[in-house]
Amino acid sequence: MKLLLVEDEPELAHSIASFLEQVGFRVEQAPEFAQAMEKIALYNYDCLLVDLGLPDGNGLDIIRALRKQESATGVLVISARNAVDDRITGLNLGADDYLSKPFHLAELNARVQAILRRRQFGGKAAIRFAEICVHTAERQVFAGNQVLELTRKEYDLLLFFLANKYRVVTREAIAEHLLGDDADQMDDFNFIYSHVKNLRKKLATGGAGDYVQAVYGIGYKFTDQV
Ligand code: CA
């Protein structure tokens, strides 16, 4: 799962990013308004963490711009402002939740996880697809009763497939999701091929069916339909 952290206080941004990376997220950062606007125009994120008071703009305008794109990206407002007005405006603009500073990083993580569950997986704590079951809080993957040992990239790839099941996902989108925003400098997608191959192998070893269809020249589709 890829997040964009928009926070101008360097120390806070650093501690949030390292905590969330430790629990398995990929975290991109934009300490300034202009940078955040550029990034949401260029890249896709699963969730934005937005501070409202930025040196060169207002975080509310980032939410506004994101919602104008009709993107499914989740939004968590993190702000020192306790003003009810900001909270209401943020929520009205389409933010999913609001967390006032100071907060505990564990609570921040729990709220981001809850937003992602609601937005991508219908609010369920366990994501099921045929005999595959993923417990996102524990990052555990089962095929039937068997626990699968996936690498971080394989896990991210599986979750990306599950969030986009029955849809074609391009190699470019997978690269951006797995490697982060720098992936657009890449011209060789072989690494995706090997992650897909390893994921398929592990799912098969666990007794799961093969749901990864290659879409020639474009990418993949995760489906149980022929
Ligand atoms: Ca700030």
Side-chain angles (χ1 to χ4, degrees), residues 6-9 51-55 78-80 101:
V6 185
E7 168 61 66
D8 61 303
E9 287 171 50
D51 177 28
L52 296 185
L54 298 166
I78 44 169
S79 177
K101 294 175 192 169

Side-chain angles (χ1 to χ4, degrees), residues 1 3 25 46-47 72-75 96-97 106-128 134-139 155 159 162-163:
M1 292 280 168
L3 312 177
F25 288 107
D46 296 296
C47 190
T73 302
V75 176
D96 296 274
D97 203 354
E107 182 178 5
L108 178 74
N109 175 36
R111 285 185 192 246
V112 172
Q113 301 264 12
I115 290 173
L116 294 172
R117 275 202 303 275
R118 278 203 301 274
R119 286 221 163 245
Q120 300 192 356
F121 303 110
K124 297 185 183 75
I127 303 153
R128 287 172 204 283
V134 182
H135 296 266
T136 52
E138 298 88 8
R139 294 176 70 85
Y155 176 88
L159 227 56
L162 290 170

Side-chain angles (χ1 to χ4, degrees), residues 2 35-45 69 176 181 184:
K2 193 168 72 146
Q35 221 177 338
M37 292 294 273
E38 192 187 313
K39 276 187 173 286
I40 61 164
L42 287 175
Y43 307 112
N44 284 307
Y45 302 95
Q69 299 175 3
E176 191 192 311
D181 297 348
D184 52 2

Side-chain angles (χ1 to χ4, degrees), residues 68-170:
K68 225 177 245 170
Q69 299 175 3
E70 292 178 22
S71 98
T73 302
V75 176
L76 176 68
V77 171
I78 44 169
S79 177
R81 299 185 190 182
N82 282 317
V84 177
D85 281 357
D86 278 340
R87 198 180 298 217
I88 294 171
T89 310
L91 294 172
N92 280 342
L93 285 175
D96 296 274
D97 203 354
Y98 190 105
L99 197 55
S100 291
K101 294 175 192 169
F103 47 76
H104 288 284
L105 291 170
E107 182 178 5
L108 178 74
N109 175 36
R111 285 185 192 246
V112 172
Q113 301 264 12
I115 290 173
L116 294 172
R117 275 202 303 275
R118 278 203 301 274
R119 286 221 163 245
Q120 300 192 356
F121 303 110
K124 297 185 183 75
I127 303 153
R128 287 172 204 283
F129 187 95
E131 58 282 346
I132 301 165
C133 183
V134 182
H135 296 266
T136 52
E138 298 88 8
R139 294 176 70 85
Q140 257 188 342
V141 180
F142 293 84
N145 293 324
Q146 197 179 326
V147 180
L148 301 185
E149 299 293 336
L150 302 186
T151 65
R152 183 174 167 156
K153 288 239 181 343
E154 289 158 8
Y155 176 88
D156 286 346
L157 180 62
L158 176 62
L159 227 56
F160 192 57
F161 278 145
L162 290 170
N164 296 286
K165 61 186 176 188
Y166 305 121
R167 285 201 289 260
V168 175
V169 286
T170 64

